[in-house]
Amino acid sequence: MYILFEWGRESYDRKFDDKRAHDETAQPDGGMVMASNGVLDARDRDAMLGRLATERFDVLVIGGGITGAGAALDAASRGLRVALVEARDLASGTSSRSSKLIHGGLRYLEQFDFKLVWEALHERDLLVSKLAPHLVKPVSFLYPLYKKVVERPYVGAGLVLYDAMEGTHRPVPHHRHLSARSALKRAPALSADRLAGAMLYYDAQVDDARYTLTVTRTAAAHRAVIATRVSAIGLLRGPDGVRVTGARVRDEESGREISVAAEAVVVCAGVWTDLVHELAGVRAGYQVRMSKGVHIVLPREAVQADTGMILRTEKSVLFFIPWGERWIVGTTDTDWSGDRAEPTPTEEDVEYILSAANRVLARPLTRADVIAVYAGLRPLVAASGGNGSKPTTKLSREHVVDVPVPGLASIAGGKFTTYRLMARDVVDAAVADFDRDVPASVTDRVPLLGADGLAAVQPAAGRLAEDYGVTRAAVEHLLGRYGTLAEEVLNLTRGDPALARPLAEGHPYLRAEVAYAVTHEHALHVEDVLMRRTRLFIESADSGTGAASEVSSIMGRLLGWNRRKRAAETRRYLELVAAEQTVPAAAANPESPERELALAASAAAG
């Protein structure tokens, strides 16, 4: 669902270096046309920048979060020439710091936002069943009940409606009523005191950063040009001084500035949207209000349960989300007016989450249980000129599209779950005044990379493990992250068997995933790998610092880094962790042997 303010305020409906792992087609300017497998090789970056400077695009997307990635795929799959620029790394903002759920939004039923819930449930089922079954997977949630007479019929009626909105072709089970005894069997961590029973229902979960990356690679498979660490610093105007005809961008790695010509510019900048509007000198029909969401990460043994859980709080809801051998617990929903790039969690945020969780747990959680803390920002939509008095928990999660001047379309709001609809709507708006017919969106019929043929590859996990000399668990881990592309990762171990070893003890990631991040996923820095291509930043007690030196070494061999550059990359990551973890995880040991080793290696080389 969206509101569209058009210009004039008229609304309308709408091995490595010597052998590349992908095919390339030479262009007169020396650039490369992306092959149909959507490879984003970081070593091809100069060629991509050359294409930005010399080609004219139908659509230029600013922003590499999930909405921008979705817009790039939507436009490219319509046959349009598309480029996407992102000032930092793909999914470096909100799209790697979410609750990692694909869900209808049960609590929005209480706000009578039925259309939003219906759309989200439809999208959830589409992703689980057709578009991304390797990435989006069903997960159960237990909703404990404490007021038997009142709560069960009330919550039950909501879940009946929730299930009914999905229709008959559903990839997840219907909800169930549980007795108190059955609830405690599923979740022994719950306190039996006052527990009257529970409801069990299903939604889905996803690695948000990996999903965003896969959408972007799918766009590249449809010939979109993708450039990261490239900032938009201004908009280009046509002869009339009004119509936007592209953007002036700066390569943040070299400082080089480039003019990118495009028939339409689409702004998918999330919490930076208002700043882009100011840069363009335009006034949009909405403003973005930032809401901070904080999550904590716990070891799985801290909460004994075989299902996720959802609790009602005085402000909103609290999720216990299974995440491999860990739990993600959150979230908060508070106003934020600080640094857009690095929102900081506070001790008060952590204590709020722990306190809310401990209301229902038999063994209270303590600060010592917390492995990691992370914060993200929601770009919620507020009316232009509003006073901002409404709590962020009450602001709509619907999205808004605006065309403030010809050639410029922007979007804000929405949910990760409904990104595909958001992308469709903003591309529709961007191409509405093209002087030719543009096909309608087809992304509801375009599976993401790694999805096609998944059912035939999954049974072959044992054979792949034998063929490549790795454990079956390692293959299953790769299938759950790359789908049918998992063998591309395993193939890297043929040239270097050391890449088949684990990257970090106690975690499933292989060293081959680091090399693949460079050769296929456009990773340019150590942080790109440890924060987003893998999730060691939030999953390990040392925030991935113990693996930083090894990551830098693997990347350095591929990207031609000398010893000093490798040490600088390691040091940069350690400093970034220190800055990000302003509320340090109590379970982490800042003086761990692994961290000390990384610091020593960095200092020796520096």
Side-chain angles (χ1 to χ4, degrees):
M1 181 183 296
Y2 70 99
I3 306 166
L4 179 60
F5 300 93
E6 193 189 10
W7 181 54
R9 292 303 180 256
E10 295 178 359
S11 64
Y12 66 93
D13 291 326
R14 320 236 236 195
K15 172 175 171 219
F16 294 80
D17 286 332
D18 59 342
K19 179 176 174 56
R20 294 296 171 95
H22 59 89
D23 295 330
E24 298 167 340
T25 302
Q27 295 296 292
D29 63 357
M32 308 290 180
V33 171
M34 279 297 176
S36 60
N37 56 4
V39 167
L40 295 176
D41 194 326
R43 299 166 298 181
D44 287 341
R45 188 168 185 274
D46 287 346
M48 295 300 100
L49 294 175
R51 293 187 63 189
L52 288 180
T54 60
E55 296 184 18
R56 177 176 175 82
F57 300 94
D58 298 313
V59 175
L60 169 64
V61 179
I62 297 174
I66 186 58
T67 309
L73 174 56
D74 187 277
S77 60
R78 299 187 195 205
L80 299 173
R81 294 181 176 87
V82 178
L84 179 149
V85 295
E86 160 57 42
R88 299 190 294 168
D89 184 30
L90 297 168
S92 58
T94 305
S95 297
S96 61
R97 302 167 185 239
S98 73
S99 295
K100 310 186 191 326
L101 292 177
I102 299 294
H103 63 137
L106 186 60
R107 73 184 180 95
Y108 303 131
L109 289 178
E110 287 190 304
Q111 300 174 4
F112 303 104
D113 211 338
F114 298 124
K115 187 174 183 183
L116 176 63
V117 176
W118 182 87
E119 287 179 337
L121 287 172
H122 179 268
E123 290 301 303
R124 182 201 70 185
D125 291 355
L126 188 63
L127 300 182
V128 170
S129 61
K130 295 180 180 179
L131 301 187
H134 56 314
L135 300 175
V136 184
K137 297 152 191 175
V139 60
S140 63
F141 285 98
L142 186 145
Y143 188 120
L145 305 172
Y146 296 93
K147 298 176 182 178
K148 187 174 184 178
V149 176
V150 177
E151 267 192 309
R152 190 178 289 275
Y154 180 74
V155 177
L159 286 171
V160 167
L161 180 58
Y162 201 65
D163 284 348
M165 286 183 170
E166 294 183 69
T168 56
H169 302 288
R170 48 186 300 119
V172 301
H174 286 85
H175 77 277
R176 293 167 48 197
H177 288 256
L178 300 180
S179 65
R181 177 178 294 182
S182 295
L184 289 171
K185 187 175 181 179
R186 297 293 303 266
L190 288 173
S191 171
D193 184 35
R194 300 186 299 107
L195 184 66
M199 309 295 292
L200 189 72
Y201 77 99
Y202 292 80
D203 263 317
Q205 66 179 158
V206 70
D207 182 332
D208 48 5
R210 176 141 299 278
Y211 190 93
T212 302
L213 173 63
T214 306
V215 174
T216 309
R217 285 192 60 190
T218 308
H222 290 273
R223 309 290 183 176
V225 177
I226 311 296
T228 64
R229 297 306 197 295
V230 174
S231 301
I233 58 175
L235 295 181
L236 306 178
R237 303 279 185 159
D240 61 1
V242 176
R243 185 175 187 90
V244 172
T245 59
R248 188 74 178 165
V249 303
R250 178 175 59 235
D251 172 20
E252 298 297 341
E253 299 289 292
S254 68
R256 172 189 176 190
E257 293 188 5
I258 301 169
S259 290
V260 185
E263 191 167 352
V265 174
V266 172
V267 178
C268 304
V271 295
W272 284 270
T273 299
D274 289 344
L275 296 183
V276 176
H277 288 156
E278 292 175 11
L279 187 70
V282 301
R283 182 175 179 179
Y286 65 87
Q287 291 180 324
V288 172
R289 188 166 161 194
M290 297 184 292
S291 166
K292 184 178 71 171
V294 176
H295 297 77
I296 64 174
V297 183
L298 310 171
R300 196 64 181 265
E301 59 268 22
V303 179
Q304 191 177 358
D306 65 6
T307 177
M309 295 188 289
I310 178 174
L311 316 174
R312 183 186 294 274
T313 69
E314 64 271 19
K315 297 179 181 179
S316 182
V317 293
L318 188 77
F319 285 100
F320 287 74
I321 305 162
W323 187 256
E325 296 303 311
R326 286 150 194 84
W327 294 98
I328 293 175
V329 183
T331 180
T332 64
D333 193 338
T334 56
D335 266 313
W336 177 256
S337 58
D339 186 2
R340 290 172 169 84
E342 303 298 342
T344 53
T346 65
E347 284 290 353
E348 289 76 12
D349 294 324
V350 176
E351 289 304 319
Y352 168 81
I353 295 172
L354 292 174
S355 176
N358 286 339
R359 289 190 299 105
V360 302
L361 298 179
R363 185 193 77 82
L365 298 171
T366 70
R367 197 63 181 77
D369 291 311
V370 179
I371 294 174
V373 183
Y374 69 90
L377 297 176
R378 306 175 188 90
L380 304 181
V381 173
S384 184
N387 59 18
S389 60
K390 183 183 289 190
T392 55
T393 54
K394 302 298 183 182
L395 288 179
S396 173
R397 266 53 176 176
E398 292 182 5
H399 61 275
V400 174
V401 174
D402 192 15
V403 182
V405 295
L408 179 67
S410 70
I411 186 169
K415 288 159 47 72
F416 194 107
T417 302
T418 57
Y419 83 92
R420 196 188 62 80
L421 302 180
M422 297 165 64
R424 178 200 66 190
D425 291 349
V426 75
V427 173
D428 280 347
V431 304
D433 66 346
F434 280 18
D435 60 0
R436 63 196 183 280
D437 290 335
V438 175
S441 176
V442 296
T443 53
D444 60 337
R445 304 188 299 280
V446 179
L448 300 188
L449 289 180
D452 272 341
L454 184 65
V457 174
Q458 287 172 324
R463 176 181 59 78
L464 288 171
E466 293 176 2
D467 289 348
Y468 288 95
V470 297
T471 66
R472 184 186 181 102
V475 173
E476 291 174 344
H477 157 78
L478 295 176
L479 288 173
R481 291 172 54 75
Y482 305 91
T484 57
L485 303 184
E487 197 165 3
E488 291 184 351
V489 183
L490 289 168
N491 275 331
L492 296 177
T493 68
R494 299 286 200 199
D496 184 357
L499 292 178
R501 293 162 50 193
L503 177 60
E505 185 178 353
H507 297 271
Y509 304 107
L510 302 182
R511 297 181 183 207
E513 294 183 70
V514 179
Y516 190 82
V518 173
T519 61
H520 290 69
E521 300 176 345
H522 209 69
L524 297 174
H525 296 284
V526 168
E527 68 186 80
D528 300 347
V529 172
L530 290 172
M531 285 185 156
R532 290 169 290 273
R533 306 306 185 277
T534 72
R535 307 315 300 269
L536 284 173
F537 174 71
I538 65 170
E539 293 175 351
S540 65
D542 68 352
S543 301
T545 56
S549 181
E550 182 61 31
V551 170
S552 181
S553 178
I554 295 170
M555 296 183 71
R557 289 197 295 271
L558 292 165
L559 294 171
W561 294 347
N562 60 24
R563 183 184 177 194
R564 186 177 297 276
K565 171 65 174 175
R566 297 182 193 189
E569 279 288 323
T570 301
R571 187 163 53 247
R572 168 177 165 158
Y573 182 71
L574 300 181
E575 291 170 351
L576 182 61
V577 168
E580 285 260 349
Q581 293 288 14
T582 55
V583 180
N589 179 6
E591 304 303 325
S592 66
E594 294 85 358
R595 180 179 173 87
E596 288 297 305
L597 188 62
L599 285 167
S602 175

